Amino acid sequence: MTEVHAQRTRVVVVGGGYAGAVAANHLRQRPDVDITMVNPRRVFVERIRLHQLIAETGSATGDYGSLLGEGIRLVVDTVHHISAGDRRALLTSGAELDYDYLIYAVGSTGATPAGVPGFAEFAHSVADLESAQRLRYALADLPSVAPVAVVGGGLTGIETAAELAEGGRPVTLICGDTLGPSLSERGRRSVARRLRRLGVEIIEGAAASEVRRDAVALGDGRVVPGAVTVWTAGFAVPDLAARSGLTTDAVGRLITDETLTSIDDDRIVAAGDAAAPSGRPLRMSCQAAGPLGAQAANTVLSRIAGRTPAAVNQAFIGQCISLGRSGAAIQLSHTDDTPINLVMGGRLATSLKEAICKATLWSIRREAAKPGSYRWLKGGKRPARMQASRQVVSR
């Protein structure tokens, strides 16, 4: 009697952040899928808590043992090239992974500004775990009265400035044109009031032109003291897709159709910050990444089953801004992520913000235990053209 073996489908998930972890767990709805996640770290990074890590008010890592479902293989490495023709991911270590489908969830990194002297030598970042750890050590070596300059008035800059100022450090927030460009007018006023109560000096209408060892020079000639400079102005994405010959947008995000499938190869599906469906990406955030991860997995599962994948369908409800451990603001929005002139503050916002942060990991763990349980808000529409300012200042 001839033994018949069921054919198994190999899926490689590149990246273990919010999108990648959700995608990998969601794929487990089919028992005949072999799932390999490639991630450069052995731990999950809660990017939404990295400002707490640098201020020593909290941790920002999670255990993959509790976040990934049984059977998911974690490979601690990086993918340096995707050979789409061979369906093979080439790793930095020299190893190779064959795949039937690949989910591209490489996330985002801190932007490197062009033409800013001293940036490489003196600026710190909070865009990834290692950068945040180096910043934490640098701050620990300084007296508490040493001034800190934070460059970038987006959500990451706001949260970083608030967290450090609440701990007693003198902080100047250099916003460029506007504080909180993704917020409504009321949202900006609310955030500014809280920052000023914490002692943060806010500079709007001027950009950093040079980073020095102990200061930041502005384009208008002013010099802002900064024993440490934290650069939060902008995000970029890894160039893996471009290096692999795949079509990307100007920022480097993988361009896909509305099912999150690469326009170059229907075996490559994207999710999270590095995905640009129809060239119209969602705001870089964990609020977008998790649902995109589930939908990318659904596209793969549909193709395995011989069904037509569904188009992207998700909505936003607002932006949560941490303003120290004892403060927060919830900027409410339309489902297309455009802000409405309504913001929530006070104790309720603080409690809600923390609950949402905890729920983000809880939902990944729940998906690991019960594949297919992940839920997200649907019915939103994406603007025809995303404003560049909203893309670079968001988490």
Side-chain angles (χ1 to χ4, degrees):
M1 183 175 180
T2 303
E3 184 178 357
V4 178
H5 294 278
Q7 184 175 358
R8 301 186 64 80
T9 302
R10 301 162 299 178
V11 181
V12 171
V13 180
V14 184
Y18 298 103
V22 171
N25 286 329
H26 210 65
L27 288 168
R28 293 178 62 245
Q29 293 176 82
R30 283 189 69 110
D32 58 347
V33 176
D34 293 329
I35 308 159
T36 300
M37 174 186 287
V38 183
N39 191 64
R41 306 174 190 87
R42 295 186 179 277
V43 295
F44 178 89
V45 178
E46 288 189 84
R47 287 186 66 178
I48 57 177
R49 292 192 185 275
L50 285 174
H51 60 282
Q52 293 180 240
L53 176 69
I54 67 167
E56 299 189 73
T57 57
S59 62
T61 57
D63 179 15
Y64 276 123
S66 66
L67 291 167
L68 295 181
E70 184 178 354
I72 297 175
R73 176 190 176 202
L74 174 63
V75 175
V76 181
D77 208 330
T78 56
V79 176
H80 76 85
H81 185 78
I82 299 168
S83 181
D86 300 326
R87 295 183 193 165
R88 184 171 299 161
L90 311 178
L91 309 186
T92 302
S93 64
E96 300 179 354
L97 294 173
D98 294 323
Y99 66 83
D100 297 301
Y101 292 93
L102 182 143
I103 294 182
Y104 187 83
V106 297
S108 57
T109 61
T112 301
V116 178
F119 170 82
E121 296 86 355
F122 304 122
H124 289 267
S125 170
V126 290
D128 58 73
L129 178 62
E130 292 74 21
S131 296
Q133 288 173 331
R134 288 192 292 270
L135 174 55
R136 177 183 178 180
Y137 300 145
L139 289 166
D141 289 338
L142 292 176
S144 61
V145 295
V148 177
V150 178
V151 179
L155 303 190
T156 302
I158 289 169
E159 292 190 332
T160 299
E163 201 77 23
L164 294 174
E166 190 178 57
R169 291 189 178 276
V171 178
T172 301
L173 179 60
I174 303 165
C175 299
D177 292 334
T178 308
L179 173 71
S182 65
L183 306 177
S184 66
E185 287 298 327
R186 183 172 294 178
R188 281 191 280 274
R189 290 196 300 269
S190 176
V191 167
R193 282 196 300 270
R194 170 64 179 173
L195 289 173
R196 291 190 176 105
R197 282 199 296 269
L198 291 171
V200 177
E201 180 183 354
I202 302 170
I203 297 178
E204 295 184 83
S209 61
E210 180 185 1
V211 181
R212 302 172 184 172
R213 185 181 299 276
D214 58 357
V216 177
L218 305 184
D220 61 7
R222 284 180 289 176
V223 176
V224 176
V228 164
T229 296
V230 188
W231 194 281
T232 70
F235 284 100
V237 297
D239 63 353
L240 173 60
R243 285 190 286 108
S244 300
L246 301 170
T247 302
T248 66
D249 66 6
V251 177
R253 288 170 287 226
L254 183 66
I255 293 183
T256 74
D257 64 15
E258 286 297 293
T259 71
L260 298 174
T261 303
S262 166
I263 61 173
D264 302 305
D265 191 323
D266 63 7
R267 298 293 181 127
I268 298 176
V269 182
D273 291 352
S278 302
R280 296 180 294 142
L282 284 74
R283 175 167 54 89
M284 291 180 175
S285 64
C286 67
Q287 185 180 170
L292 285 172
Q295 291 174 94
N298 282 340
T299 290
V300 171
L301 293 172
S302 293
R303 289 225 161 86
I304 294 172
R307 299 190 302 267
T308 300
V312 171
N313 183 359
Q314 70 185 81
F316 287 81
I317 58 174
Q319 302 171 60
C320 300
I321 307 105
S322 173
L323 298 171
R325 294 302 84 214
S326 59
I330 309 295
Q331 168 66 67
L332 300 179
S333 73
H334 298 289
T335 57
D336 68 356
D337 200 30
T338 55
I340 60 178
N341 205 29
L342 184 61
V343 64
M344 181 189 306
R347 293 181 180 178
L348 178 58
T350 305
S351 298
L352 184 57
K353 162 70 177 180
E354 182 59 24
I356 290 171
C357 289
K358 290 179 178 178
T360 301
L361 278 196
W362 175 87
S363 65
I364 298 174
R365 291 192 177 100
R366 186 168 185 265
E367 185 67 13
K370 188 179 179 182
S373 62
Y374 191 87
R375 297 289 181 268
W376 65 94
L377 186 64
K378 300 179 182 179
K381 295 185 181 297
R382 286 178 290 123
R385 179 176 62 85
M386 297 292 286
Q387 296 178 13
S389 62
R390 289 177 57 220
Q391 285 299 303
V392 299
V393 301
S394 302
R395 272 187 314 282

